[in-house]
Amino acid sequence: MTQNKNVLNWIEKIKELVNPDKVVWIDGSEEQLKAISAESEAAGELHRLNEELLPGCFLHRTKANDVARVEHRTFICSRDKNDCGPTNNWWDPKEAYATLGELFKNSYAGRTMYVIPYCMGQIGSEFSKVGIELTDSRYVVLNMDIMTRMGRKALEQLGGESDDFVRGLHCTADIDEEKRYICQFPEDNAIWSINSAYGGNVLLGKKCFALRIASYQGKNEGWMAEHMLILGLENPQGEVNYVTAAFPSACGKTNLAMLIPPEVYKKQGYKVWCVGDDISWLRIGPDGRLWAVNPENGFFGVAPGTNAKSNFNALESTKKDTIFTNVVLNLDNNTVWWEGLDKNPPKKAIDWLGQPWDGSTASAKGAHPNSRFTAPAKNCPCISPEFDNPAGVPVSAIIFGGRRAKTAPLVYQSFDWQHGVFVGSTMASETTAAAAGAVGVVRRDPMAMLPFCGYHMGDYFGHWLEMGKKLGDKAPKIFNVNWFRTDDKGNFIWPGFGDNMRVLMWIVDRCAGKAGALETPVGYEPEPEDINIEGLDITVDTVRDLLSVDPELWRAELAGIKEFYAKFDRLPEELRAELAKLEERLG
Ligand code: SAT
Ligand code: MN
């Protein structure tokens, strides 16, 4: 399929190591993909769902020990340990290659090697980047088909001479968690992943390339790879303002990206367009503004909690050509179900572990909390007309956010870019099921990039500050939001979901110079009256509460930030200065 010697030589070398029975190049044609899904079905890896209700859809179950990303087994293998930084696991590349080399040796014996050329970003765009993933998993092939632009066209994008592609090697091996490794080699443009068959560990175009490797490339090439959704907010005059937002995994990026405006805005003609739900590649455009592209081609969304009310557009996106992973199989009509889909769990069903399930056992969940759908972006009813625009969309605002039961107010704006970088760098969130480990623990997750930054986080903050200097007065405004404040009983106070648009409206108006603000120690906040609550059953006083900044809690926050910053040997001075200023403002 290609004459590119760099590609062919690399594959030859890997073949010698892993010793496949057969090599199949993925050309991206419909016949080939159909044949591969039929083989998967025959092998019991995929279960075909109801062809009338869910045409082209399949269910897949992973092994019970393989249901999320494994951050403690994810490594940045930079030559110099200092380039990896204090927030990543470092492994000497020589040792990593040696250890994984042993595991990969003959790992493909008796298996087929699929060669997946794929493109992150639009085909034909000078900003796009090509990767090649070698895998023994048909499930990976079929998911990569949904998540990326793949096949022959990706090789054409690379061209016959170029060496600029990310070399991804994956093997399912025995799915042995003791021997599971996800290794990034930023200086070699390489990723090696073994002993997993779950999402972010094996769909190498996603977190491994489009964030870890790409963030490193971005630092060297003057752009940014961020864990951000992109959405467009269209006003009744037809003008669209774009915002990006960084939240940790499973904190509602997909929901915000596809939100349906509440009635008060819908009736006036407001619309929301989804450009992306997880990853943004950001560059300074010819006009000096910041422009965002979604390098992906599909959504790998969390299923539980997704329903017609929480995210109608995501649910619609999963109605055809979608792969469901670790959800419930409804035996009555051969469809799928998960907690939070509706109030009628199927009585005759199979749970995510493959066991009979009757929907009545309140204790055992039918779907895994991190069960997922892989759906084509083009299925989304509100996909932006700019989705395929290689130039991307101009960004007016960057929003940070996390899950905080207390402390962080509903929304505030940073005083300027530098302060905004401080706000992003000190982001914290309560952990979710998207990664292995305890759920509900507060952890610092700068820019939601803690598990995804491919180099030293201190240098990453420096890169953010640098980008701000280049953008000057054309820089997007930076905000922080928190939809997750709870009352004394632990109930969420803010309604969330589509109503988050009420907060976005203040943000967009601020960017346009149309909304006022109050100055607080942490940043600019709306006047409570400036958040439109028409049609909600909360009062202005509730909004005032949601916006409150409790100095006691914030002093505790300061202590947490100091402790976090103390980890960094390479922390930009500007951020220490911002910390000192915050301390001063809090008194
Ligand atoms: O598993 S993924 O990394 O692809 C999804 C996520 O954790 O955000
Ligand atoms: Mn994510």
Side-chain angles (χ1 to χ4, degrees):
M1 249 170 34
T2 182
Q3 300 300 317
N4 187 316
K5 287 272 183 308
N6 302 307
V7 173
L8 298 174
N9 292 344
W10 169 66
I11 293 177
E12 273 317 304
K13 234 174 75 193
I14 298 292
K15 268 168 64 181
E16 268 170 40
L17 173 68
V18 303
N19 188 24
D21 257 24
K22 205 167 92 179
V23 176
V24 172
W25 286 71
I26 300 300
D27 61 17
S29 68
E30 224 182 290
E31 308 87 81
Q32 188 188 40
L33 291 161
K34 277 226 163 86
I36 290 175
S37 35
E39 283 169 31
S40 285
E41 215 186 327
E45 300 153 2
L46 286 184
H47 170 82
R48 188 181 294 272
L49 295 162
N50 187 317
E51 268 300 326
E52 251 155 62
L53 299 173
L54 296 169
C57 294
F58 293 93
L59 169 67
H60 171 78
R61 295 186 201 100
T62 64
K63 259 181 83 167
N65 76 5
D66 189 31
V67 293
R69 283 180 292 103
V70 280
E71 293 173 9
H72 60 296
R73 308 204 62 98
T74 299
F75 295 87
I76 300 297
C77 308
S78 52
R79 264 168 248 143
D80 183 344
K81 183 171 185 192
N82 286 325
D83 291 336
C84 160
T87 56
N88 284 314
N89 303 312
W90 179 74
W91 202 355
D92 183 334
K94 279 204 206 85
E95 284 175 27
Y97 280 129
T99 303
L100 269 69
E102 281 305 312
L103 296 175
F104 271 111
K105 194 179 283 173
N106 291 320
S107 62
Y108 274 64
R111 305 183 191 203
T112 298
M113 174 186 276
Y114 297 96
V115 179
I116 313 173
Y118 64 95
C119 181
M120 300 312 289
Q122 291 82 0
I123 298 286
S125 165
E126 57 180 311
F127 302 137
S128 296
K129 298 234 173 223
V130 172
I132 298 182
E133 175 164 357
L134 308 179
T135 180
D136 60 340
S137 160
R138 287 180 279 242
Y139 173 75
V140 168
V141 172
L142 297 170
N143 274 275
M144 287 292 281
D145 173 47
I146 299 173
M147 294 306 296
T148 73
R149 294 149 173 106
M150 62 106 124
R152 200 176 288 276
K153 55 187 188 251
L155 284 175
E156 283 161 16
Q157 170 86 16
L158 179 65
E161 308 281 332
S162 174
D163 194 27
D164 184 11
F165 65 96
V166 171
R167 293 143 168 81
L169 171 60
H170 165 245
C171 186
T172 307
D174 311 315
I175 320 190
D176 177 349
E177 51 192 323
E178 302 292 317
K179 296 183 185 150
R180 186 170 298 156
Y181 294 103
I182 322 297
C183 289
Q184 280 70 203
F185 303 86
E187 290 136 350
D188 299 344
N189 253 355
I191 305 159
W192 282 21
S193 161
I194 191 160
N195 274 307
S196 173
Y198 166 79
N201 298 330
V202 301
L203 307 178
L204 299 186
K206 196 173 179 58
K207 309 293 190 182
C208 302
F209 176 177
L211 288 176
R212 297 196 189 102
I213 299 282
S215 60
Y216 174 80
Q217 295 175 328
K219 181 198 59 151
N220 294 328
E221 297 166 12
W223 54 282
M224 304 160 96
E226 297 296 332
H227 193 200
M228 290 176 176
L229 67 91
I230 312 166
L231 69 81
L233 215 158
E234 181 175 331
N235 67 20
Q237 292 75 48
E239 297 154 355
V240 189
N241 280 291
Y242 294 93
V243 308
T244 64
F247 308 150
S249 296
C251 286
K253 283 203 301 299
T254 306
N255 291 345
L256 187 65
M258 300 178 189
L259 76 74
I260 293 184
E263 201 45 46
V264 11
Y265 293 120
K266 214 184 326 187
K267 68 182 182 210
Q268 297 174 55
Y270 284 94
K271 289 182 190 135
V272 168
W273 300 105
C274 172
V275 183
D277 79 326
D278 196 38
I279 298 177
S280 300
W281 283 2
L282 302 151
R283 290 170 197 272
I284 299 176
D287 62 355
R289 301 174 68 190
L290 191 65
W291 290 70
V293 162
N294 170 12
E296 300 191 284
N297 203 25
F299 309 116
F300 187 65
V302 179
T306 304
N307 58 54
K309 191 163 167 278
S310 68
N311 196 338
F312 172 84
N313 288 317
L315 195 60
E316 277 303 297
S317 308
T318 67
K319 293 288 165 68
K320 61 177 185 201
D321 304 325
T322 292
I323 300 174
F324 297 92
T325 302
N326 292 342
V327 300
V328 175
L329 174 63
N330 180 346
L331 291 173
D332 274 336
N333 57 5
N334 194 27
T335 61
V336 287
W337 191 85
W338 49 78
E339 278 70 22
L341 174 64
D342 54 40
K343 296 216 164 73
N344 312 304
K347 301 247 162 354
K348 247 177 71 201
I350 306 283
D351 69 9
W352 73 274
L353 290 161
Q355 301 299 319
W357 189 77
D358 64 7
S360 65
T361 35
S363 54
K365 288 195 163 37
H368 188 274
N370 194 35
S371 55
R372 299 269 171 165
F373 53 79
T374 321
K378 63 170 185 283
N379 282 2
C380 181
C382 65
I383 196 74
S384 165
E386 302 301 318
F387 177 74
D388 274 319
N389 186 341
V393 295
V395 180
S396 301
I398 293 175
I399 304 173
F400 295 122
R403 248 173 221 277
R404 295 302 295 272
K406 307 283 171 214
T407 318
L410 179 63
V411 59
Y412 63 96
Q413 181 189 355
S414 71
F415 295 119
D416 53 32
W417 180 273
Q418 179 173 304
H419 176 232
V421 176
F422 170 77
V423 170
S425 77
T426 58
M427 242 172 84
S429 191
E430 285 136 26
T431 50
T432 67
V439 168
V441 181
V442 173
R443 77 164 180 183
R444 299 277 149 199
D445 188 350
M447 284 82 171
M449 284 288 277
L450 184 70
F452 306 123
C453 182
Y455 61 104
H456 194 298
M457 186 69 86
D459 295 346
Y460 167 81
F461 297 152
H463 183 48
W464 264 84
L465 293 168
E466 206 49 46
M467 290 295 289
K469 285 189 196 122
K470 287 191 197 151
L471 286 159
D473 59 5
K474 298 210 169 104
K477 305 276 185 282
I478 300 181
F479 297 80
N480 194 84
V481 299
N482 176 25
W483 319 132
F484 299 96
R485 267 217 198 174
T486 54
D487 61 20
D488 296 339
K489 297 192 193 79
N491 302 311
F492 294 120
I493 306 172
W494 178 248
F497 300 107
D499 289 312
N500 291 335
M501 167 136 173
R502 299 165 189 271
V503 174
L504 294 183
M505 288 296 288
W506 180 73
I507 288 176
V508 167
D509 283 347
R510 273 302 283 172
C511 294
K514 288 194 271 195
L518 296 168
E519 200 171 326
T520 79
V522 302
Y524 297 119
E525 282 197 352
E527 309 252 9
E529 294 77 11
D530 283 350
I531 299 291
N532 185 335
I533 50 171
E534 187 186 324
L536 288 184
D537 53 7
I538 63 171
T539 63
V540 179
D541 282 335
T542 313
V543 177
R544 187 169 292 114
D545 254 10
L546 284 164
L547 289 167
S548 64
V549 172
D550 179 336
E552 246 352 273
L553 288 175
W554 273 87
R555 274 190 284 273
E557 185 73 4
L558 269 180
I561 295 172
K562 281 185 191 162
E563 192 187 326
F564 181 61
Y565 271 8
K567 283 191 187 179
F568 289 92
D569 50 326
R570 297 188 198 167
L571 190 78
E573 259 327 296
E574 291 92 328
L575 297 188
R576 273 194 216 292
E578 287 298 331
L579 175 61
K581 282 196 265 178
L582 174 63
E583 189 157 21
E584 210 180 287
R585 289 193 302 267
L586 286 167

